[in-house]
Amino acid sequence: MRSLLLLPVMVMAASPLSADMAPPVNATVSSANPGLVGTSRPIAQKPRTAWRPKRAWRPSSPAQAVVAATRNATQEPARDAFINAVQIYPYSEGTLYRLFAAPEHVTDIALQPGETLGAVAAGDTVRWVIGDTPSGSGETKRTHILVKPVRVGLTTNLVITTDRRVYHLTLVSTARSPMIALSWSYPADQMLVLSRNGAAGAVASGIPVDGLNFNYRIGGDKPAWRPVRVFDDGRQTFVEFPADLAVGEAPPLFLTDKQGDAQLVNYRQKGRYYVVDRLFETAELRLGTKRQAIVRIARSGSRKGRV
């Protein structure tokens, strides 16, 4: 009797689960005891969405548009743009030049020789002391704008008008490291002279000099082939080298990204100019094997790289 009663139990334990006893879809079977069946909560899955490329940031308000435009137009002091203690900015219309000053120190803003001062206007004339004085005489006469803040932590703007151009500056007062003096180079004037002499006519023919953008910084090493200036016409970029480039070894031009990776770019040489059929933010000229000379080029206002 006992063996007959035990037989169905043993068969049931050994027989597979019937359809009625099968675990539900969300059931789990214990690995320690396959006979034990439990249930678990269904796992919530995120609905898949199609990949979309990131859109370029655009100002969402007029105020943000002003901030973005001001940031892109601002040119900062560069280490390789100093001649002794004077910061030399390449002049370009509409650029905003930053000047760092400090209390008890006077910073000298020197205009082009022969340039006649029209007016000087500042946003804050109470906490900034601003004056002007001439130096030299005749053709070498030069106007100097002298600025000094009364305390640290001040920021204002300065507009200088002359008989030749308008200068826009941002004045920042700092506790230390004030700029002793700043001045400008004038690539457009130099190009105008070259154009009249026919030296640059073949490079940017048909384009007025005032339509060229000279807002580029040149830094890095100072080999004999270091470019004299870089400019663009809104479509092509021109790199101008010293006159003896034609008889020397020409350095290849690489475009660089914000990670510092470089790639060779297509360009053609016309006399002492490289002509690149595109605009770029940052680039490098490299020449040499053991001791490689590197010259960096960056468009002013670019935030992708430093010179």
Side-chain angles (χ1 to χ4, degrees):
M1 293 288 290
R2 289 181 184 176
S3 61
L4 290 174
L5 290 172
L6 291 173
L7 182 58
V9 176
M10 294 173 63
V11 171
M12 288 176 67
S15 63
L17 295 172
S18 64
D20 296 336
M21 300 176 62
V25 176
N26 295 326
T28 57
V29 180
S30 171
S31 59
N33 188 351
L36 296 178
V37 179
T39 59
S40 64
R41 296 180 181 178
I43 299 173
Q45 293 186 351
K46 258 187 170 182
R48 291 186 179 180
T49 55
W51 178 84
R52 295 180 182 177
K54 290 183 178 179
R55 294 182 179 179
W57 181 84
R58 292 182 180 179
S60 59
S61 69
Q64 289 180 339
V66 170
V67 171
T70 302
R71 181 180 64 236
N72 292 333
T74 298
Q75 187 161 347
E76 306 280 356
R79 179 182 58 188
D80 294 309
F82 277 93
I83 296 181
N84 295 326
V86 182
Q87 169 73 196
I88 308 294
Y89 283 125
Y91 179 83
S92 181
E93 186 177 1
T95 300
L96 192 59
Y97 304 97
R98 195 181 299 277
L99 179 152
F100 292 95
E104 302 180 1
H105 291 80
V106 174
T107 299
D108 173 20
I109 304 171
L111 304 183
Q112 188 178 30
E115 193 169 14
T116 303
L117 179 65
V120 179
D124 183 353
T125 56
V126 175
R127 297 177 296 177
W128 288 82
V129 180
I130 301 172
D132 64 90
T133 186
S135 69
S137 61
E139 293 182 357
T140 62
K141 186 177 180 180
R142 196 170 193 178
T143 301
H144 301 261
I145 312 298
L146 308 177
V147 299
K148 181 180 71 171
V150 298
R151 64 181 180 85
V152 175
L154 303 177
T155 302
T156 191
N157 71 309
L158 182 71
V159 180
I160 304 170
T161 62
T162 73
D163 60 338
R164 298 178 183 177
R165 55 187 65 87
V166 179
Y167 301 88
H168 296 271
L169 297 94
T170 296
L171 309 182
V172 180
S173 65
T174 179
R176 54 185 180 178
S177 303
M179 296 167 66
I180 302 302
L182 72 85
S183 182
W184 286 269
S185 62
Y186 301 91
D189 291 2
Q190 297 165 2
M191 280 296 297
L192 187 58
V193 173
L194 292 174
S195 298
R196 287 171 180 170
N197 296 335
V203 178
S205 58
I207 301 171
V209 175
D210 56 5
L212 300 176
N213 172 33
F214 294 92
N215 224 357
Y216 288 83
R217 302 189 307 273
I218 301 173
D221 297 328
K222 297 183 179 179
W225 47 262
R226 181 184 170 108
V228 211
R229 67 180 61 86
V230 181
F231 58 95
D232 70 73
D233 61 3
R235 186 176 58 88
Q236 295 176 311
T237 305
F238 305 91
V239 183
E240 182 185 354
F241 291 90
D244 57 356
L245 176 71
V247 297
E249 192 174 3
L253 179 67
F254 298 86
L255 299 190
T256 55
D257 56 23
K258 52 187 175 182
Q259 281 80 32
D261 298 328
Q263 62 176 13
L264 194 62
V265 64
N266 291 327
Y267 60 90
R268 59 188 180 278
Q269 185 174 347
K270 297 182 72 174
R272 56 175 174 158
Y273 292 87
Y274 281 3
V275 182
V276 186
D277 291 324
R278 57 169 292 182
L279 304 180
F280 57 78
E281 297 293 336
T282 55
E284 289 182 356
L285 293 156
R286 302 177 180 181
L287 187 63
T289 51
K290 292 183 180 178
R291 173 66 176 88
Q292 191 176 54
I294 300 177
V295 175
R296 299 180 180 87
I297 301 170
R299 183 160 27 166
S300 296
S302 169
R303 302 180 69 82
K304 293 184 178 180
R306 295 180 62 186
V307 171

